[in-house]
């Protein structure tokens, strides 16, 4: 699924393409709890430009389980925000492949994460204590520079881990942890 974004106020066009694994006759892989968000940015002008894209998760652990914690994830060529539930061992992650140009923020969502992005066009690389009074949020910001008519691409991954059986295939429970 692709979504094209264009505003007369911006000198660039953005295309978000969301992809999930689907392999006929492979139920386990086709129902794996992750998907990719591919972001393509195209400079529509004849001069260099700068811009920012924010990818965030809100309200990961709502309700009674607001005491989860957020952590920074760094491994190989990935950078991201990991949320761990306090009452169970569920995890939700948002990751960026090739983390050049990526800043991050993890914390309660309105006061810090979005204010940083709105005022600076980037995030402050902060990890704040998650509040039990508001929803947790993790965000990754991609700040880019494009030359005349240049196109750049960044891939984000949304993944989950659930310790309980996520899918029952032919009487056998399956757990998932893919990234």
């Amino acid at each position: 699924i692709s979504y094209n974004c264009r505003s007369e106020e911006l000198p660039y066009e953005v295309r978000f393409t969301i992809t999930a694994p689907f392999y006929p006759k492979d139920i386990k892989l086709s129902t794996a709890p992750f998907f990719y968000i591919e972001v393509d940015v195209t400079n529509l002008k004849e001069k260099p430009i700068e811009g920012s894209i924010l990818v965030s998760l809100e309200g990961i652990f709502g309700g009674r389980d607001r005491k989860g914690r957020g952590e920074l994830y760094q491994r190989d060529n990935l950078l991201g925000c990991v949320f761990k539930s306090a009452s169970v061992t569920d995890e939700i992650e948002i990751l960026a492949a090739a983390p050049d140009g990526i800043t991050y923020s993890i914390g309660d969502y309105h006061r810090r994460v979005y204010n940083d992005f709105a005022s600076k066009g980037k995030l402050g690389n902060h990890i704040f204590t998650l509040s039990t009074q508001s929803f947790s949020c993790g965000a990754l910001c991609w700040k880019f520079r494009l030359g005349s008519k240049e196109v750049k691409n960044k891939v984000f991954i949304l993944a989950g881990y659930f310790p309980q059986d996520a899918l029952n295939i032919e009487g056998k429970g399956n757990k998932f942890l893919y990234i």
Side-chain angles (χ1 to χ4, degrees):
I1 296 174
S2 293
Y3 179 72
N4 292 315
C5 305
R6 176 75 179 106
S7 170
E8 295 299 321
E9 297 172 12
L10 296 175
Y12 52 85
E13 181 176 82
V14 181
R15 179 182 177 104
F16 294 92
T17 302
I18 299 169
T19 306
F22 176 73
Y23 295 91
K25 298 187 180 185
D26 189 335
I27 297 170
K28 183 175 181 182
L29 185 55
S30 295
T31 58
F34 74 95
F35 61 89
Y36 300 99
I37 303 170
E38 187 173 351
V39 182
D40 296 300
V41 182
T42 304
N43 182 355
L44 302 173
K45 301 294 182 182
E46 297 291 335
K47 61 181 183 176
I49 59 151
E50 291 184 357
S52 299
I53 303 284
L54 181 74
V55 177
S56 68
L57 293 171
E58 292 182 20
I60 304 305
F61 300 116
R64 294 182 182 167
D65 193 21
R66 291 187 179 170
K67 293 183 181 178
R69 67 186 193 278
E71 298 175 355
L72 182 65
Y73 178 98
Q74 290 180 293
R75 187 175 76 193
D76 301 325
N77 205 23
L78 296 173
L79 171 85
C81 306
V82 178
F83 293 95
K84 298 186 178 197
S85 168
S87 63
V88 293
T89 54
D90 295 352
E91 291 183 17
I92 303 290
E93 303 167 355
I94 184 167
L95 307 165
D100 54 303
I102 297 291
T103 55
Y104 63 87
S105 192
I106 303 169
D108 58 19
Y109 76 101
H110 276 295
R111 289 177 278 175
R112 296 180 176 123
V113 176
Y114 295 128
N115 288 341
D116 276 355
F117 180 75
S119 65
K120 302 172 191 167
K122 63 180 184 175
L123 299 173
N125 292 340
H126 300 294
I127 301 175
F128 300 103
T129 303
L130 299 182
S131 169
T132 58
Q133 302 302 313
S134 65
F135 289 106
S136 56
C137 177
L140 299 177
C141 173
W142 175 36
K143 190 161 181 75
F144 54 85
R145 277 199 168 123
L146 298 173
S148 173
K149 304 291 184 177
E150 185 179 7
V151 177
K152 285 193 177 176
N153 173 280
K154 182 66 71 180
V155 175
F156 297 90
I157 304 163
L158 180 64
Y161 170 71
F162 310 94
Q164 63 276 16
D165 289 345
L167 178 66
N168 191 308
I169 302 172
E170 298 175 357
K172 181 181 177 208
N174 292 279
K175 295 174 176 31
F176 293 111
L177 176 56
Y178 288 101
I179 54 171

